[in-house]
Amino acid sequence: MENSQQVEQWGMFEAVLQGTTDGNPFKEVQIFAKFSHLDRTVEVEGFYDGDGTYRVRFMPDAIGNWSFSTWSNDPDLHGNSGFFDCVPPTGNNHGPVRVDRVFHFAYEDGSPYRPFGTTSYAWIHQSEQRQEQTLATLRESPFNKFRMCLFPKRYLYNLTEPGQFPFALAHDSGFDFTCLNPQFFSG
């Protein structure tokens, strides 16, 4: 695998590989990548994303040239390598949020972060029209974080069952928590 691209500092580099679909790849296939910059190496675990696709995501924290190589128990995923250039961040990319002075938060570049959020418990189980309406309303709000539940909750005003669940569902035995449903998360 040959990758040559630019990624912002604190942005996301993603290696996408094709491998086995046999058995339960969520449990049975391991994939890791070692990312190297100067004298530093960071190991990152990848994940199965369905349909034979495996991904390894990495957030570079230092500007310069990075290289990577993969390790896996699947021969198709093992020994892939590539590189990318990490360039300075732009726009609103201030890096990850960290604890600052014990009781505060700040981005990696020192900019303050003031969390202000809301919860929409059954949002993902609403119609697409209702979801879009909610997002449009939130765009005009002061919130900078949003949380929701993945599993359906029954309320007097929410009796709708979702079209998909985050895990494979066998109606006779319930959820298989070892087998994610990638389509649920990519929608």
Side-chain angles (χ1 to χ4, degrees):
M1 168 178 219
E2 191 66 28
N3 279 314
S4 180
Q5 65 182 29
Q6 290 188 335
V7 178
E8 287 187 14
Q9 181 181 22
W10 308 311
M12 183 183 71
F13 172 82
E14 180 176 67
V16 181
L17 304 159
Q18 295 300 308
T20 187
T21 59
D22 295 340
N24 182 346
F26 295 104
K27 274 182 21 179
E28 298 167 9
V29 176
Q30 297 172 327
I31 180 169
F32 296 89
K34 288 186 177 181
F35 291 86
S36 299
H37 171 68
L38 301 174
D39 61 350
R40 189 166 145 243
T41 300
V42 179
E43 188 173 290
V44 176
E45 187 173 5
F47 63 95
Y48 181 61
D49 198 25
D51 298 325
T53 300
Y54 294 78
R55 299 177 189 276
V56 180
R57 293 179 177 161
F58 176 66
M59 180 183 71
D61 59 359
I63 295 171
N65 297 316
W66 287 82
S67 63
F68 72 93
S69 61
T70 63
W71 177 92
S72 178
N73 61 345
D74 177 342
D76 292 332
L77 303 173
H78 185 78
N80 291 278
S81 62
F83 59 92
F84 62 92
D85 292 319
C86 180
V87 298
T90 61
N92 288 324
N93 179 354
H94 300 287
V97 174
R98 307 275 189 221
V99 173
D100 181 43
R101 295 172 288 135
V102 182
F103 300 107
H104 302 279
F105 295 104
Y107 290 101
E108 188 69 23
D109 70 359
S111 302
Y113 174 77
R114 295 177 183 91
F116 187 65
T118 189
T119 304
S120 292
Y121 289 102
W123 178 75
I124 60 174
H125 307 299
Q126 302 302 314
S127 68
E128 188 172 332
Q129 179 183 1
R130 178 60 57 105
Q131 289 178 8
E132 289 300 322
Q133 179 186 17
T134 303
L135 291 175
T137 302
L138 288 172
R139 274 187 211 100
E140 303 301 318
S141 76
F143 300 121
N144 60 11
K145 68 177 188 166
F146 175 69
R147 70 181 174 182
M148 61 189 149
C149 296
L150 292 181
F151 288 98
K153 294 178 93 54
R154 288 212 171 254
Y155 299 102
L156 292 176
Y157 56 86
N158 181 48
L159 300 176
T160 306
E161 285 294 320
Q164 295 189 48
F165 293 95
F167 295 97
L169 175 63
H171 292 287
D172 57 338
S173 60
F175 290 105
D176 178 356
F177 295 112
T178 68
C179 190
L180 288 168
N181 175 7
Q183 291 78 25
F184 176 85
F185 295 97
S186 66

